[in-house]
Amino acid sequence: MSDPPLGPEASGPPIIRVGLDASPLRIGYAISASGTIVQASTFHVSRDAPLDARRGFYRMIRDEVRQLEEQHASDLRTIGIEAPYVGPNRQGSLNHARNIGQAEAWMFSSFPYAEQLIVQPASWRRALGLPARGKDAPLVYARRTYSDVAEQDTADAICIVDALPHLEQE
């Protein structure tokens, strides 16, 4: 089986996908329709805010996706969520994992029909032909596909959503 092309996909109803890069202080997201980024941004959360503070951000993403679904008579196909970072700081790793859990709960309650993929950074980087490490390559890639990218989390979410056609086959 050959890999699907990167970029805009074949004709027919738009294929809607979401990429998320959620961490304790930021939620980067990107929404694509048939391989074209239609919205991407990063929400910031204060360090002392409870996990519940992210709920409003997830509602905004949900509403944008539902508007696209109605506009194009097409359902969300896949949500790719970057896997939690597990590092030397035990509490930081637990906080990151909680954020991913909250993103999963949002996805299951908002879009039970969509496929959910937990995506390792190495997987989305490999799918896009990017180096395994470093922050510059995802930023350069994201700015080529969506010019209004100022933050690393937005860039990572764009890369995740663009890699999903390849990762859905794995």
Side-chain angles (χ1 to χ4, degrees), residues 12-17 33-34 65-77 111 113:
I15 297 171
I16 302 169
R17 294 181 176 96
S34 292
V65 171
R66 286 192 176 152
Q67 184 178 15
L68 266 177
E69 288 179 320
E70 290 174 17
Q71 180 182 349
H72 297 290
S74 181
D75 287 339
L76 174 67
R77 177 180 287 181
F111 305 102
Y113 48 86

Side-chain angles (χ1 to χ4, degrees), residues 21-28 42-45 54 99 151 153:
D21 181 14
S23 69
L25 299 177
R26 291 173 296 283
I27 302 167
T42 296
F43 298 118
H44 293 264
V45 181
R54 291 163 182 73
N99 290 319
E151 300 192 48
D153 298 285

Side-chain angles (χ1 to χ4, degrees), residues 3-9 15-20 29-40 78-80 117 119 123-130 138 140-146 149 154-168:
D3 287 338
L6 292 176
E9 295 171 305
I15 297 171
I16 302 169
R17 294 181 176 96
V18 173
L20 290 175
Y29 78 99
I31 302 169
S32 73
S34 292
T36 300
I37 302 297
V38 295
Q39 179 63 28
T78 310
I79 298 175
L117 294 176
V119 181
S123 297
W124 61 256
R125 285 172 176 265
R126 185 173 39 257
L128 298 177
L130 298 176
V140 169
Y141 176 90
R143 287 178 177 150
R144 279 196 328 250
T145 60
Y146 190 77
V149 178
T154 306
D156 288 356
I158 288 170
C159 290
I160 291 165
V161 81
D162 276 0
L164 286 177
H166 293 275
L167 301 174
E168 289 166 354

